[in-house]
């Protein structure tokens, strides 16, 4: 039904039910039935009490089902010694609902359900099959009876009888008129009967409205009382128009859509209530219909017209389509919206009346994770979805959030299964329609006035949305007070979903919700106090109250009930000390955020005492500055602040309560002075107080209140004057005998000179327009000079900060301050005479900062430079030289500065890149660099080389002539270092070959491990000279590389072999000497020599492996076997008397060599060589066991690999030939009956011996026509054809004779030739040629049914099996011990 019919005429009572259950007589105290009643007694029974004479949806007419009460149990822990775990708790929890509560109100119509069950079981009326809901409730049965109930669940009428049911079949559809005076009834055999719902009189029987023997599945009334729309099991939709002509009532039937063209599954007209009778869509009488493939919307008035037709996405055939109308606020008015769903996707269409046209744009789509079989609107924002498992999903349309999941499995919903199976044998129903109707619930799930009624096999259920306060009450019954408050706040803010029962006016709505939340808070507090464990520990009690009180406090503040919080709630919690403490701590975050104001003085007093007792002094200091002074106990907070140093509290009380801005400042200065003298405060506390007093002074002098706010305008001048007077007063109020002059300023300077001066800078800027500004500034500066210059307790850094401050103030354009220049000279002398090395950098930075602030104008530059150079203030010298553009001087400063030496290169680069330099300056600077090139090399040879390479590339040769070793090597290495990536040297003109060769010689001496890398990168040396150097220093690896690079592989090999032989001889002699002296040689003695042998052997193996690929077999043997002979002979000598670890190492060398050989020398040749070797002729099998086993493993590996490859290729061959056979044997059908060339009928020439050529593309030709167009090819005894119209080589194929199956006439086999235009075997020649060659020229493939012998004469391809590219390059597996 349409959701636009207004609210229900009866109220639903509150019940929290996740899932409805069967009735339990004992649980609900139902009296036992002594005797089974008859049908007459049931139909005539009266109402037992006046309470039940109400609407059938009233509170007393349903069965209350128990809710799942989730009560929170409070753990009572006694003081038994078990210490509970402390849990961190939130003092200001956010009221964010984690759930929406119980959204659905579920009831069972007990009276109706009992009478339906009785009629079904005792009188043979049959099970329920259909239902209609309006002000009355009608239920149709399988035997043709209709039971009508009034709102009090009293059986009003019983229409029909079993005889009528036997004649017409089961009731399949019911519908009331709007005024409930008529009831339309559809039967399984196609009849439509109209009853008078008031008297039970049969008014009319319609038997010819639609195709006979088709069950009426839907009867839908429209806003026109004389027009109804029906659909039947044959998928036909028709309309019935009732008229009165000359005093006679007539019924005209018109077919809207025939089931033969389109199977319509679901229909739903748009119903308009009186509120929307003037809507632009009212005259059109819209009807939505869903077929198996399309969604249609038609207009029944003034004439039948399809307004919208669109196919939807394909779904499973058995998916049930559903549609539902609802008026929704869109843009500026309420318009109809259609929700359509089939499967798991819901689409919303907006009915937009634009002038005389009606459009249906899509509003939104919702994709679900489950399949939907029914959809109903609960209100304009809430949908009720039923899935295939009979679970209800309450969903918010806008947010697509699922609000609740409710089960309906126990209801046993009525479906078409009860009667549709009997129709299948009598009616022509498609299988798809049969599946849909057996799953659909079109007649058992209906909506009326926002309520959804479900017809079950024995019960009737009603589900609706709960009223807002009922949802809160359900949570309260479950003791979920926090969730109830969160839900209430969501109602207050308008963020809750599925809300009904609240007025539209915002203020009135919020007032109602506030009252409800106040009630919940009070009940929550009362429950929390009453449920507190008496004998538990204090910590357990705190955890108990910490769950409830923070939520209540937050709620009261959010709804603005501060009076409730400070009144009733405080009074209830005050007797309980633990609860009161939790309450007071909960106020803290709200006071800090200024959300809680107007707290009573008593609460503030208790709060201060509680926080002091718990040692939460920082919290007190942060809280009090946010409170009104009038609510504070002045004596209490002042005493507390002085005892614990809470100066923020002291400032707040004196400033706001007494308008005194001096006392807090003086007390803080006094505390700093005491700390400096006694040393009792640690550095962190001293810095905290110092920063606080400086910020406070800055605020006072700028007219602001510390820590936030503004001083009243009339007090600003007074406050400034008082602060100035206090700072510049020679002595404090309580002057001590040993107090020095200007105590306050002196103390602040000692505490933090830089920050105090920064405060003065800000103050001077704010006082620019003040008449007394100059006088005050001069006064302050005079005091600063007097205190710091004449004093001895200040460091150079502090003195530098003072004169930096003075220089900045004097540099201001509007400044009229006066400072004696001699003071600057005194400061210069002081800073340039540091007492020790630790003050050197501090003094230099102080002087540099002074100069940068503009103080250089107060100094004699010559004197400044002289003093700076004397004490090595090179940064100061750089500052002065930069002003004079003396770049060379700055360069010298960098070289002399031990801290910044490495920065000289960046300075040189930046200076030479400066386009503002003159030519003379540039030449002078470059000359200075070259004069100090040796010093630069000492700093960093690499960076110096890079600098010369980039900036002085034309002078590198000249520079090199000035160097001697080792600086020459350092410089060359900085340029030519082969480990640098990318290698910078690419220009041979910068350095000739002599320097490259010189570098090689030096590199051999100093870093021989880099020689090979340099030889690979550089191309600017003479190989013969390099070879001399390498031989001189015996760098065998580099020498072998160079010889190999020149093509002298044998020479490189001989050199490396000789080197290996020497090392082996040395190792043998050493081992023999050790053996003679000690007997058995220890492994760790000769490890370095053995590692050297291993390195040399690996170098030779690498060389042999690199060159073996370009050599023939004999050359490879000549390369590898000498190495093998040398290694074998030496190993026999080394294995005599050495330790086991050493023997394993020797064995590993042999294995490494054999592993490298087997990839290039056949194992058989290696084995033969070893067997014939004299050293092994008398050996044991164990000497060559590893080699033999390695050969066997390699054989097994290669054999397995070959077999696997062969199987894969044979499988591919079988698959290709099977597809080829299927393609060739496939029958082809021509697209036309005429030849594609002569345009004559192709069968006209069959009697003349003409061949017909048919291609797989559908074109057909005479063979003579194709020959005339040169579209035939001859391959030996076989002729091939090409499609004339396609003209593509991929259409070429072998001709196969066949008969034409499409023709009635029998032709000879040679008369029709079928041509496949798909790719033939020659289209992929290489692949098939490869496969067929593997099959050895003739292959028999068995496909399970037939044996196919393939003649390979059609594949004229040369074999590629024996080509070099096809041969597998297999390496032997690793040898196994």
């Amino acid at each position: 039904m349409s959701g636009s019919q207004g609210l229900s005429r009866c109220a639903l009572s509150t019940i929290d039910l996740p899932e409805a259950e069967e009735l339990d007589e004992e649980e609900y105290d139902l009296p036992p039935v002594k005797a089974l009643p008859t049908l007459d007694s049931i139909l005539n029974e009266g109402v037992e009490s006046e309470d039940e004479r109400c609407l059938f949806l009233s509170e007393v007419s349903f069965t209350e089902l128990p809710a799942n009460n989730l009560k929170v149990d409070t753990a009572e822990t006694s003081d038994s010694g078990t210490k509970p775990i402390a849990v961190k708790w939130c003092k200001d929890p956010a009221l964010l609902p984690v759930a929406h509560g119980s959204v659905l109100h579920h009831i069972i119509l007990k009276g109706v359900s009992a009478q339906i069950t009785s009629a079904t079981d005792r009188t043979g009326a049959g099970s329920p099959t259909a239902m209609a809901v309006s002000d009355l409730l009608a239920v149709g049965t399988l035997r043709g009876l209709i039971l009508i109930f009034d709102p009090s669940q009293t059986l009003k009428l019983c229409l029909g009888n079993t005889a009528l049911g036997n004649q017409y079949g089961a009731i399949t559809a019911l519908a009331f008129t709007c005024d409930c005076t008529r009831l339309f009834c559809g039967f399984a055999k196609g009849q439509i009967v109209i009853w008078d719902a008031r008297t039970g009189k049969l008014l009319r029987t319609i038997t010819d409205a639609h195709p006979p023997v088709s069950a009426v599945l839907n009867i839908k009334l429209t806003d026109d009382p004389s027009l109804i729309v029906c659909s039947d099991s044959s998928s036909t939709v028709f309309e019935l128009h009732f008229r009165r002509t000359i005093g006679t009532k007539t019924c005209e039937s018109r077919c809207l859509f025939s089931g033969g063209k389109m199977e319509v599954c679901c229909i739903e007209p748009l119903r308009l209530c009186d509120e929307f009778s003037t809507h632009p869509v009212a005259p059109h009488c819209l009807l939505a219909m869903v077929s198996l493939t399309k969604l249609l919307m038609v207009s029944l008035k003034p004439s039948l017209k399809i307004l919208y037709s669109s196919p939807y996405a394909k779904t499973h055939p058995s998916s049930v389509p559903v549609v539902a109308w609802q008026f929704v606020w869109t843009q500026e008015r309420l318009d109809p919206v259609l929700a359509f769903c089939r499967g798991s996707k819901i689409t919303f269409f907006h009915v937009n009346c634009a002038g005389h046209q009606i459009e249906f744009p899509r509003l939104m789509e919702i994709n679900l994770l489950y399949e939907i079989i029914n959809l109903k609107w609960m209100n304009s924002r809430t949908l009720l979805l039923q899935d295939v498992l009979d679970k209800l999903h309450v969903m918010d349309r806008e947010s697509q959030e699922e609000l609740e999941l409710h089960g309906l499995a126990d209801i046993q919903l009525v479906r078409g299964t009860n009667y549709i199976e009997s129709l299948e044998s009598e009616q022509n129903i498609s299988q798809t329609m049969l599946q849909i109707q057996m799953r659909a619930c079109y007649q058992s799930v209906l909506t009326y006035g926002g309520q959804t009624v479900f017809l079950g096999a024995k019960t009737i259920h009603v589900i609706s949305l709960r009223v807002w306060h009922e949802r809160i009450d359900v949570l309260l019954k479950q003791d979920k007070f926090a969730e109830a408050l969160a839900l209430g706040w969501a109602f207050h803010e308008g963020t809750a979903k599925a809300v009904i029962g609240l007025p539209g006016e915002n203020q009135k709505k919020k007032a109602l919700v506030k009252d409800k939340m106040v009630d919940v808070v009070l009940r929550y507090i009362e429950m929390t106090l009453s449920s507190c464990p008496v004998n538990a520990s204090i910590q357990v009690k705190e955890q108990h109250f910490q769950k409830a009180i923070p939520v209540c406090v937050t709620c009261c503040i959010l709804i603005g009930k501060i009076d409730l919080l400070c009144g009733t709630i405080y009074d209830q919690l005050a007797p309980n000390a633990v609860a009161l403490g939790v309450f007071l701590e909960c106020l803290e975050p709200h006071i800090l955020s200024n959300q809680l104001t107007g707290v009573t003085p008593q609460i503030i007093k208790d709060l201060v005492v509680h926080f002091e007792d718990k040692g939460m002094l920082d919290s007190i200091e942060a809280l009090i500055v946010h409170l009104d002074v009038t609510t504070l106990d002045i004596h209490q907070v002042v005493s507390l602040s002085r005892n614990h140093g809470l100066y923020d509290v002291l400032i707040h009380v004196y400033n706001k309560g007494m308008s005194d801005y001096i006392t807090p400042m003086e007390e803080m200065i006094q505390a700093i002075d005491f700390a400096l003298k006694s040393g009792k405060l640690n550095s962190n506390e001293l810095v905290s107080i110092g920063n606080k007093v400086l910020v406070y002074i800055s605020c006072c002098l700028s007219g602001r209140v510390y820590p936030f706010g503004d001083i009243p305008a009339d007090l600003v001048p007074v406050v400034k004057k008082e602060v100035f007077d206090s700072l510049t007063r020679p002595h404090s109020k309580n002057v001590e005998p040993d107090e020095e002059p200007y105590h306050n300023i002196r103390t602040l300077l000692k505490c933090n000179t830089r920050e105090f001066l920064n405060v003065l800078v800000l103050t001077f800027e704010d006082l620019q327009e003040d008449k007394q500004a100059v006088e005050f500034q001069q006064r302050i500066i005079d005091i600063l000079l007097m205190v710091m210059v004449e004093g001895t307790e200040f460091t150079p850094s502090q003195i530098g900060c003072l004169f930096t401050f003075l220089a900045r103030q004097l540099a201001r354009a509007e400044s009229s301050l006066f400072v004696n220049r001699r003071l600057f000279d005194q400061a210069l002398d002081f800073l340039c005479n540091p007492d020790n090395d630790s003050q050197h950098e501090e003094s230099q930075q102080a002087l540099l900062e002074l100069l940068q602030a503009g103080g250089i104008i107060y100094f004699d530059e010559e004197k400044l430079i002289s003093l700076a150079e004397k004490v090595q203030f090179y940064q100061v010298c750089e500052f002065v030289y930069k002003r004079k553009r003396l770049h060379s001087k700055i360069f010298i400063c960098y070289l002399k500065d031990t801290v910044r030496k490495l920065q000289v290169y960046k300075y040189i680069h930046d200076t030479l890149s400066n386009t503002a330099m003159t030519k003379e300056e540039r030449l002078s600077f470059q000359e200075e660099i070259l004069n100090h090139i040796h010093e630069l090399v000492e700093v960093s040879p690499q960076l110096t080389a890079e600098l010369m390479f980039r900036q002085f590339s034309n002078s590198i040769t000249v520079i090199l002539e000035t160097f001697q070793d080792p600086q020459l090597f350092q410089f060359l290495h900085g340029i030519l270092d082969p480990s640098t990536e990318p290698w910078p040297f690419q220009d041979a003109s910068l350095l000739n070959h002599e320097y490259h060769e010189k570098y090689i010689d030096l590199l051999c001496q100093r870093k021989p491990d880099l020689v090979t890398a340099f030889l690979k990168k550089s191309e600017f040396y003479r190989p013969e000279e390099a070879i001399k150097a390498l031989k001189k220093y015996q760098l065998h690896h580099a020498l072998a590389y160079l010889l190999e690079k020149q093509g002298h592989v044998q020479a490189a090999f001989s050199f490396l072999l000789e080197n290996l032989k020497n090392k082996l001889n040395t190792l043998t002699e050493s081992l023999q000497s050790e053996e003679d002296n000690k007997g058995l040689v220890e492994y760790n003695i000769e490890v370095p020599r053995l590692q050297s042998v291993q390195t040399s052997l690996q170098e030779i193996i690498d060389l042999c492996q690199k060159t073996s690929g370009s050599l023939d077999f004999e050359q490879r043997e000549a390369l590898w076997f000498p190495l093998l002979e040398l290694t074998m002979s030496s190993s026999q000598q080394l294995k005599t008397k050495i330790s086991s670890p050493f023997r394993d190492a020797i064995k590993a060398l042999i294995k490494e060599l054999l592993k490298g050989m087997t990839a290039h020398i056949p194992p058989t040749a290696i084995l033969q060589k070893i067997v014939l070797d004299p050293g092994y002729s008398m050996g044991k099998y164990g000497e060559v066991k590893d080699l033999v086993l390695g050969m066997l493993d390699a054989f097994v590996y290669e054999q397995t690999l070959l077999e696997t490859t062969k199987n894969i290729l044979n499988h591919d061959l079988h698959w290709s030939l099977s597809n080829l056979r299927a393609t060739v044997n496939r029958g082809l059908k021509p697209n036309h009956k005429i030849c594609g060339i002569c345009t004559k009928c192709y069968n006209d020439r069959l009697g003349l011996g003409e061949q017909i050529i048919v291609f797989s593309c559908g074109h057909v030709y005479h063979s003579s026509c194709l020959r005339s167009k040169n579209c035939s090819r001859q391959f030996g005894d076989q002729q091939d054809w090409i499609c004339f119209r396609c003209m593509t080589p991929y259409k070429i194929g072998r001709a196969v004779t066949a008969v034409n199956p499409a023709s009635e006439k029998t032709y000879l086999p040679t008369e029709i030739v079928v041509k496949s235009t798909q790719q033939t075997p020659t289209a992929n020649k290489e692949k098939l040629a490869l496969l067929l060659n593997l099959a050895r020229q003739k292959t028999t493939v068995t496909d399970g049914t037939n044996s196919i012998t393939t003649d390979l004469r059609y594949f004229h391809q040369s074999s590629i099996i024996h080509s070099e590219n096809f041969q597998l390059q297999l390496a032997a597996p690793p040898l196994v011990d």
Side-chain angles (χ1 to χ4, degrees), residues 1218-1329:
S1218 298
N1219 287 346
L1220 177 63
R1221 178 175 178 270
T1223 302
V1224 172
N1225 294 337
R1226 185 180 65 186
L1228 302 178
K1229 179 182 178 181
N1231 294 337
H1232 308 283
K1233 294 184 179 180
I1234 61 175
C1235 174
I1237 298 177
C1238 66
T1239 67
K1240 295 181 180 180
C1241 185
Y1242 62 79
N1243 57 5
D1244 291 345
R1245 305 183 186 179
L1246 286 177
L1248 303 177
E1250 183 75 47
Q1251 280 188 326
I1252 305 301
I1253 311 300
V1254 181
F1255 291 87
S1256 61
C1257 57
H1259 298 146
V1260 59
Y1261 307 93
H1262 296 115
S1263 59
S1264 60
C1265 294
L1266 285 176
R1267 291 191 187 95
S1268 65
K1269 296 297 182 179
N1270 295 325
C1271 291
S1272 63
R1273 296 181 182 179
Q1274 192 73 27
F1275 294 97
D1277 298 336
Q1278 182 175 341
Q1279 189 171 14
D1280 205 353
W1281 305 92
I1282 300 176
C1283 178
F1284 173 71
R1285 293 193 176 182
C1286 298
M1287 291 299 290
T1288 168
Y1290 294 107
K1291 307 295 185 188
I1292 301 176
R1294 179 174 57 88
V1296 182
T1297 58
V1299 297
N1300 186 359
S1303 175
E1304 297 179 358
K1305 181 179 178 180
T1306 302
Y1307 303 105
L1308 295 175
T1310 57
E1311 290 181 337
I1312 296 180
V1313 178
V1314 180
K1315 286 297 300 158
S1316 172
T1317 60
Q1318 295 185 357
Q1319 290 188 3
T1320 61
T1322 56
N1324 194 355
K1325 299 179 181 180
E1326 293 182 0
K1327 181 177 180 180
L1328 285 180

Side-chain angles (χ1 to χ4, degrees), residues 670-685:
Q670 185 178 359
I672 294 173
D673 181 62
F674 177 78
L676 291 174
K677 291 180 179 179
S678 62
K680 291 185 177 181
L681 286 179
N682 58 41
S683 58
N684 293 333
E685 293 177 346

Side-chain angles (χ1 to χ4, degrees), residues 287-401:
L287 174 67
M289 298 186 297
V290 185
S291 70
L292 295 179
T293 57
K294 290 185 179 182
L295 170 66
L296 300 97
M297 283 179 247
V298 300
S299 172
L300 301 179
K301 289 184 175 183
S303 61
L304 180 64
K305 182 180 180 182
I306 299 179
L307 302 177
Y308 178 84
S309 175
S310 174
Y312 52 83
K314 292 184 179 180
T315 59
H316 193 274
S318 62
S319 298
V320 179
V322 287
V323 290
W325 292 97
Q326 175 68 32
F327 272 85
V328 177
W329 186 266
T330 58
Q331 297 178 353
E332 298 180 355
R333 65 180 182 184
L334 286 170
D335 284 336
V337 171
L338 177 70
F340 161 69
C341 177
R342 186 179 185 192
S344 60
K345 181 179 180 180
I346 306 176
T347 306
F348 298 89
F349 296 89
H350 172 215
V351 181
N352 183 22
C353 298
H356 298 288
Q357 295 182 350
I358 301 180
E359 300 175 349
F360 299 90
R362 297 191 181 191
L363 280 181
M364 61 181 299
E365 293 181 350
I366 300 178
N367 293 298
L368 306 172
L369 300 177
Y370 44 85
E371 183 180 351
I372 296 298
I373 62 173
N374 214 325
L375 181 150
K376 300 297 179 184
W377 290 88
M378 304 293 286
N379 58 25
S380 61
R381 293 186 54 177
T382 311
L383 297 171
L384 187 65
L385 311 177
Q386 178 185 352
D387 62 17
V388 293
L389 301 177
D390 284 344
K391 292 184 179 180
L392 292 181
H393 304 261
V394 184
M395 176 171 289
D396 182 73
R397 176 182 60 86
E398 294 183 359
S399 64
Q400 304 182 19
E401 180 183 1

Side-chain angles (χ1 to χ4, degrees), residues 467-529:
V467 183
W468 69 275
H469 58 79
E470 293 178 350
R471 292 168 61 180
I472 296 178
D473 292 337
V474 170
L475 293 173
L476 294 180
K477 290 179 181 178
Q478 300 173 354
D479 288 343
K480 296 181 179 180
F481 290 90
E483 289 83 352
L485 291 174
L487 184 59
W489 180 247
F491 289 135
H492 183 276
E493 294 298 297
T495 58
K497 308 293 191 304
V499 182
I500 61 171
L502 283 175
E505 186 180 354
N506 193 34
Q507 295 300 326
K508 188 175 181 181
K509 174 184 70 175
K510 290 189 175 183
L512 289 174
V513 176
K514 285 182 180 179
D515 293 341
K516 184 65 177 178
M517 294 181 70
V518 168
D519 179 62
V520 175
V521 168
L522 294 177
R523 291 176 58 181
Y524 197 7
I525 293 293
E526 182 180 356
M527 187 276 295
T528 304
L529 289 172

Side-chain angles (χ1 to χ4, degrees), residues 1079-1134:
L1080 191 63
V1081 180
E1082 295 296 333
Y1083 172 67
N1084 55 356
I1085 297 178
E1086 296 297 336
V1087 167
R1089 295 183 181 179
L1090 184 61
Q1091 291 178 345
S1092 177
V1093 170
Q1094 186 177 7
T1095 303
S1096 299
L1097 179 61
Q1098 188 62 47
E1099 291 176 357
I1100 302 179
I1101 293 175
D1102 293 340
L1103 175 63
C1104 295
Q1105 287 180 337
K1106 285 188 295 183
T1107 57
S1108 293
S1110 59
L1111 303 178
D1112 56 21
F1113 179 73
E1114 293 180 356
Q1115 292 174 332
R1116 289 199 295 269
E1117 284 188 341
L1119 197 65
W1120 285 98
F1121 282 155
L1123 177 61
L1124 180 62
E1125 292 173 358
L1126 174 62
T1127 308
M1128 286 294 184
S1129 61
S1130 301
S1131 64
Q1132 289 298 321
Q1133 300 177 15
L1134 293 174

Side-chain angles (χ1 to χ4, degrees), residues 137-201:
L137 174 66
V139 179
T141 67
L142 187 64
R143 301 295 298 277
L145 273 68
I146 305 173
L147 306 179
I148 301 180
F149 301 89
D150 63 11
S152 64
Q153 301 191 57
T154 302
L155 183 61
K156 181 179 179 182
L157 293 172
C158 180
L159 306 179
N161 49 57
T162 56
L164 185 64
N166 294 333
Q167 181 181 359
Y168 293 162
I171 304 293
T172 56
L174 291 172
F176 279 110
T177 56
C178 293
D179 54 2
C180 288
T181 58
R182 299 287 186 272
L183 176 63
F184 291 83
C185 176
F187 288 87
K189 295 184 179 180
Q191 294 81 6
I192 297 177
V193 176
I194 304 176
W195 302 88
D196 190 327
R198 294 170 298 183
T199 63
K201 180 181 178 181

Side-chain angles (χ1 to χ4, degrees), residues 184 192 194 204 206 224-228 240-244 249-252:
F184 291 83
I192 297 177
I194 304 176
R204 174 177 295 180
I206 304 173
D224 185 354
S226 64
L227 182 64
I228 67 172
L240 297 179
H241 196 72
F242 298 92
R243 297 181 180 179
R244 182 184 293 273
K249 296 181 179 179
T250 62
C251 177
E252 298 180 359

